Amino acid sequence: MSQSDRAEKVRHLVDGAVAGDVRSVSRLISLVENEASGYEEAYSMFYGRTGKAKVIGITGPPGGGKSTLVDKLASKLRQLGNRVGVIAVDPTSPFTGGAVLGDRVRMQRHNADPGVFIRSMGTRGHLGGLSRGTAAAVDVLDAAGYDYVLVETVGVGQSEIEISSLSDLVVLLNVPGLGDEIQIIKAGIMEIGDVFVVNKMDRPGADRTKAELEYALDLGHELPRRPKVLMTNAETSEGVAELVAEIDDYYGWLRDSGILEKRRAKHAELVVTRMLADRLMKRLGSEGEDGELAGELYVCVSRRLLTPYEAAERIFKRIIEKGAI
Amino acid sequence: MKDRIKETTGRWYKEVYEKSVADPRRKERRENFESGSGIPIKPLYTPVDLEGKDYEEQLGFPGEFPFTRGVQPTMYRGRFWTMRQYAGFASAEESNKRYKMLLGSGQTGLSVAFDLPTQIGYDSDNELSAGEVGKVGVAIDSLADMETLFDGIPLDKVSTSMTINAPAAVLLAMYIAVGEKHGVSSKELDGTIQNDLLKEYAARGTYIYPPQPSMRLITDIFAYCKDNVPKWNTISISGYHIREAGSTAVQEVAFTLADGIAYVEAAIKAGLDVDDFAPRLSFFFNSHNDFLEEIAKFRAARRLWAKIMKDRFGAKNPRSLMLRFHTQTGGCTLTAQQPDNNVVRVTLQALAAVLGGTQSLHTNSRDEALALPTEDSVRIALRTQQIIAYESGVCDTVDPLAGSYYLESLCDKIEEQAADYIKRIDEIGGAVRAIEQGFIQREIEDSAYKYQMSIESGDRTVVGLNKFQIKETAPKGLLKVDEAVGRAQCEKIKAVKARRDNAAVKAALKDLETAAKGTDNLMPPILAAVKQYATLGEICDVMRDVFGEYKPTGM
Amino acid sequence: MDRKIRVLVAKPGLDGHDRGAKVVARALRDAGMEVIYTGLRQTPEQIVSAAIQEDVDCVALSILSGAHNHLFPKVVDLLKEKGADDVLVVGGGVIPDEDIPGLVAKGVAAVFTPGTPTTKTAEYIRENIKRK
C-alpha cells in the first residue's frame, strides 16, 4: 500500500470514528492498540479532539463486583443522557500471551444500546497491568465523543497504581468479608482513590469495612478535599445514583481547583517520557553491533565490573554518537 | 492378626511386587495410576487399608444409619429400581405417544423432558424461543398442553419426574390441576420436580431469578407440598449436571451435598422443621466411566449425607437421613464416533449405579451425542436396565461389593475429600455465596479443562475417539424435530388466549404479583392462575418483574 | 508489534451447556489468542454487536439445543448487514452431519462436532481468519 493510500485509509477510519460509527471506533482502537501501520498518523488526526471525556478509573479486588458496578454505572449515566465508553481490562497469561476476557458477560444488555461502547482488553504482558493500548483506547473513545470513559481493572499488583496514570478520577472499590478486612489499605493505594465504595453493602461486615476506610482516610489523604466512602449494592443498583452524583461532584471540584489540569499534565509527562525511553532504546536497536554492545554491558553490570550508572552513561553516549535525537 | 497382615503385605511388596516391576517385561503400563478424581491407586489393597475402620460405624446394615449399604433393608430383593427414561420432544401429542410406548414396554415411571423455552419460562411465541420450541423436550405453554401430555395416563398409578427448575412451581401446579381433572387428588400424586436452582447457576444454566427469590420459591414448594402433595419429592438435588459440566466424582458429591445443605438451611430459616421436609428431599447423580469409583461414590454420598443430617441438622426421622437418588448414565461420556459403542458404556455405567444402590435409573441411548434418541435406541437403553435386573444376578443380595478392600478404601477417600470441599464452601459462607463468587464454577471448569487436555494428549483413552478409530459414514435415521412444532405451538397459545376468561386471568396474575411482593406462599396464587389457563410465560413474567433476573458471573 | 488474534466465544440460544464453550475459550487462550467470552443466552443481535465493538477476527458459536439452523445463519447475516463480513464465523456443538452443508452454504466457515480436539479448532482459526 502506498503512503497516500494508507493515509487515506486512516483518514477514513478517523472520520468514521469521530462521526460515531461504531465499527470505525472499534477498528481505530485496534489500530492504536496494536501500533499497526499508520497509528501515529491516526493519532495526529484525532488527538486534537480529545480531552473532553471524563475518564473514570474503577479498580478493586477480584470478586468485588466491579463489572456489575460498571454495568450499573453505565446504565445510570445513560439515563442522564450521556454516551458511555467502557474499557474492561483483564490479565493476559504470561505463559501463552493469550487471555480470556470475561467481564462483558455482565454488561451484555447494553449491546442493543448505541450509546454504550464496551471493549475488553488484555494486559498483554505490560508490567504495570495496563497495556499502553489502554490509554490509546481511552483517547479514541474520547475523540469519538463518549462523555464518560469507564476503565475497569482488577486490583492486583500494580494495576491499581497504573490506573491513576490514565484516569481523571479513580473509584476504589472494596467489599466486606474477602478475608483481609481492608485489602486496599496497602501502601500507596489509599492515596489514589478519589471516591471510595463499599460494594455488596447487604453483606455482614459492610459497616465495619466502611468505618475502617473512614478511619484510614481520617488519618491522612493527599488532596485538600477528603474523599467520601459510599455504600452500594451493584446487584440491585442501590447507591449507584449517589455514586454517580459523587463522581460528578468530585470531578467538578478537581476541575475547578485546577487539580485536574495538573493531573493531566502529569499523565502527559508519564506518557511522553515513556515514549521517549522507548524511542531511545529503539534507536539503539536490539540487534547488530549496538545490541551486542548493550548486551555485553548488561553482563558487565551483573558481574559487578561496571555500575549500572556507568553502563547507562555508555549506552546514552552511543545513542548520541549515532546522530541527532 | 492385623499386624501379621501388615507384615506379610510389606513382604509381598518388597520381595514379590518390586522385583516383578523391576523386570522390563513386567513393567507397569503407567507410572502413576489414579481414579477419575485423581485419587492415587495402589497396586493392591488388603485388610491393612481398612485398618481402624469399624464395620458398624462405617458400613452398618441396609436401611439403617449411616446407610452406606443402602436405604432399604431388602434393596432389589424387594423390587428393582424404577426404570425411568427421560423423554419428551416436540409437542405434547408426540410426547404422550412416546410415554405410552415406554409404559407399554415395561417402564415403571415417567420422566418429562421440557424444551428450553419452557425451562426458562418463555412461551413458544416469545421472540427468544425461535428455533428452540420442542427441540430438547416437550413445549408446555399452558394447562391445555399439560392436559394433552398426560391424556390417558393414570396419574394415580405412575410416578412422574419432571426436569424443571426455575418454573418448577408452575409445572407442579399444572400437574396438580390435570390430576384434579382426572379425579386424582393431589394427595395421591407421586413424583418429583427437580427444583434445584443452585446447580443451574453452577452448571446447567436454565435459571431465571436471582438466588434469593429462587430459594424462596423452593421453600414455598416444600411448605405447600408438606400439607397438600405429601407423596411428592419436592426437590431433586442434582449432581448430574455438575458432573456433565466437567467435575470429578469427588466434586460431584461435594457440590451436590453443599447445595443440599443450603436448601435445608433455607427451609429451616423459613420456619420449617427439618423432619417435616427432609424425608421428601431426593438426589440425582451421574454414573460415569470409572466403574469402581462410581460405585464408591454413591455409597460415600449416602454415608456423608446421613452424617450431615444427623450431626449438623439434628434430624430425628430416619427417613430424613436417607439419601435416595436417581441416576442417569453420563451423557458426556457418549461419543459421536462409533455410536454403538455407547451401548457398552451405558451398560457399565448402569451396572455401577445398580451396585451403588440407586432408587431409579435412566440409561442414555447410543445416539444421544448426535441428536435426540430414536425409538429403537431408547428401547435398547431400557432393555439394558432390564438385562441387569433380570439376568445378571447382581440384584439378589444387598450391596454385593461391600467389604472389597479397594472399594471401601475408595469410598472412605471420596467421603473424606468431599467433606474437605464442603468445609471450604462453609468457610466461603455456604453454597449460595460460593456460587456467587464463582468458586464452584471455577473448580468445575478447571476439572473440565484438565479432562479435555488429558484426552487430547492421549493420556486418557476414549475408545473410538482418540484410539481405535475407523473411517465412518454419517449416521442415518436420526430423530429430527419438525420446525412446524414451533408454529403449531404459537397457534395453540392463540386459541387458548381466545377461549379463556381473560379478566379472570388478569385478576389471578395480579394476586400472584401481590403475593410475590409480600411473603405469602406463592403456590396457591400460581395454582389459581394455572387453572385460569394463564400461560407459563405470563406467570413467570409477573415474577420476573418483581424478582428481577439472574446475571451470571464471568469466566 | 505482534497482532493478537481476537475471538468472540458466544452461546446463542437458550441451552445452558457451556462446558464446551468454556473449554474452547481456555484452549484458544492457551494458543495465545484473546478470547472474549459473552456467556449464555445471547441473541444474534447481542453477539454481532459485541463482535463489532470488540473488533474480533472470529466469532465462535456453540449450541447444543438443536437451534443451530435458525441461529447460526442469523449471526452470519447480521454481520454482513453491519459490514463486518470479514469476520470468520465457526460453530460447534451437537450438530448432525447432515446439517453441516446447509450451514456452510449460509456462510458458517466450519462446524466442529463433538470429539474435535481443541488444537484443531485453534489451528483452523489461525489459518483461516480473513484479516491478516
Side-chain angles (χ1 to χ4, degrees), chain B residues 132 207 244 445 449 456, chain C residues 14 19 22 30 41 65 118:
Chain B
E132 309 269 15
Y207 40 73
E244 286 292 294
E445 283 161 27
Y449 195 55
E456 293 190 13
Chain C
L14 301 180
R19 174 181 183 166
K22 284 178 167 173
D30 290 349
R41 296 192 212 165
S65 73
T118 55

Side-chain angles (χ1 to χ4, degrees), chain A residues 91-99 123-126, chain C residues 4 26-33 126:
Chain A
T92 293
S93 157
F95 305 107
T96 66
T123 51
R124 296 197 178 174
H126 186 75
Chain C
K4 292 255 179 259
R26 283 194 186 201
L28 296 180
R29 174 199 65 189
D30 290 349
M33 302 180 191
R126 197 181 294 286

Side-chain angles (χ1 to χ4, degrees), chain B residues 43-355:
Chain B
L44 190 76
Y45 289 77
T46 66
V48 177
D49 296 283
L50 303 181
E51 213 192 331
K53 304 278 182 187
D54 180 64
Y55 173 85
E56 258 131 63
E57 225 170 77
Q58 290 294 104
L59 301 178
F61 293 91
E64 286 182 4
F65 184 84
F67 301 101
T68 313
R69 305 206 59 181
V71 292
Q72 293 124 8
T74 59
M75 286 306 289
Y76 309 131
R77 284 169 68 99
R79 66 182 179 87
F80 296 127
W81 58 94
T82 304
M83 299 178 193
R84 197 193 291 281
Q85 296 296 95
Y86 183 51
F89 61 98
S91 63
E93 288 85 356
E94 294 254 16
S95 299
N96 178 267
K97 258 193 261 165
R98 175 74 62 99
Y99 296 159
K100 285 176 175 160
M101 178 286 271
L102 284 166
L103 291 172
S105 309
Q107 173 165 304
T108 45
L110 293 178
S111 174
V112 183
F114 296 100
D115 72 356
L116 286 163
T118 306
Q119 292 188 50
I120 305 173
Y122 295 129
D123 285 339
S124 298
D125 57 1
N126 189 303
E127 201 186 327
L128 295 169
S129 305
E132 309 269 15
V133 177
K135 282 280 159 64
V136 303
V138 59
I140 298 293
D141 291 312
S142 74
L143 180 56
D145 295 323
M146 203 72 159
E147 288 162 2
T148 311
L149 188 66
F150 291 103
D151 181 54
I153 293 172
L155 299 192
D156 51 345
K157 296 206 176 61
V158 296
S159 74
T160 302
S161 166
M162 294 193 272
T163 299
I164 194 74
N165 294 279
V170 186
L171 273 301
L172 174 60
M174 287 183 182
Y175 195 78
I176 293 170
V178 173
E180 273 178 33
K181 296 205 168 190
H182 287 202
V184 179
S185 139
S186 67
K187 293 221 155 53
E188 292 175 70
L189 295 176
D190 183 1
T192 308
I193 40 175
Q194 200 159 73
N195 199 25
D196 170 10
L197 258 301
L198 291 178
K199 66 94 175 52
E200 295 294 333
Y201 305 123
R204 188 166 175 267
T206 57
Y207 40 73
I208 306 177
Y209 315 111
Q212 290 316 323
S214 293
M215 295 302 269
R216 173 188 167 189
L217 269 164
I218 292 166
T219 50
D220 277 1
I221 293 172
F222 288 1
Y224 181 85
C225 289
K226 175 173 81 79
D227 300 323
N228 299 287
V229 205
K231 284 160 73 183
W232 201 264
N233 296 306
T234 48
I235 193 167
S236 169
I237 306 163
S238 305
Y240 178 80
H241 316 91
I242 290 171
R243 191 66 178 278
E244 286 292 294
S247 84
T248 64
V250 166
Q251 289 171 335
E252 182 189 355
V253 172
F255 300 155
T256 310
L257 300 198
D259 287 351
I261 290 169
Y263 293 126
V264 173
E265 279 172 352
I268 290 174
K269 215 171 140 200
L272 297 169
D273 184 81
V274 66
D275 284 317
D276 272 348
F277 65 88
R280 297 322 307 161
L281 302 177
S282 62
F283 288 80
F284 175 19
F285 289 111
N286 198 300
S287 194
H288 212 271
N289 285 337
D290 192 332
F291 185 70
L292 293 169
E293 189 183 47
E294 290 302 288
I295 300 169
K297 174 188 80 179
F298 298 121
R299 299 169 82 253
R302 230 171 3 239
R303 182 161 72 209
L304 185 52
W305 183 248
K307 288 184 190 165
I308 289 169
M309 290 308 288
K310 192 169 175 220
D311 302 339
R312 185 169 180 152
F313 295 112
K316 304 264 177 331
N317 183 347
R319 291 194 64 83
S320 300
L321 312 178
M322 285 180 197
L323 180 145
R324 296 170 301 125
F325 67 101
H326 171 69
T327 307
Q328 181 170 341
T329 57
C332 60
T333 68
L334 303 178
T335 61
Q337 296 73 18
Q338 305 175 40
D340 286 347
N341 294 346
N342 292 327
V343 175
V344 184
R345 291 193 178 94
V346 168
T347 306
L348 286 167
Q349 294 162 1
L351 185 59
V354 169
L355 291 170

Side-chain angles (χ1 to χ4, degrees), chain B residues 457-469:
Chain B
S457 69
D459 184 49
R460 181 188 297 273
T461 298
V462 181
V463 173
L465 180 76
N466 63 356
K467 213 171 190 173
F468 314 113
Q469 300 101 317

Side-chain angles (χ1 to χ4, degrees), chain A residues 22-23 26-27 30 33-34 96-102 104-105 108 111 116-120 122 124, chain C residues 1 3-4 6 29-30 32-38 42 46 49-50 52-55 82-84 86 131:
Chain A
V22 175
R23 192 156 156 76
S26 160
R27 305 213 72 167
S30 299
E33 185 187 17
N34 294 327
T96 66
V100 173
L101 312 174
R104 220 187 157 91
V105 170
Q108 275 298 75
N111 270 347
V116 179
F117 184 102
I118 303 166
R119 182 65 169 244
S120 314
R124 296 197 178 174
Chain C
M1 189 187 254
R3 198 175 79 79
K4 292 255 179 259
R6 285 168 67 86
R29 174 199 65 189
D30 290 349
M33 302 180 191
E34 277 182 355
V35 180
I36 296 103
Y37 181 70
T38 63
Q42 299 297 302
Q46 283 176 316
S49 166
I52 288 175
Q53 291 183 4
E54 298 289 357
D55 194 26
K82 307 259 177 188
D86 55 351
R131 295 191 255 135

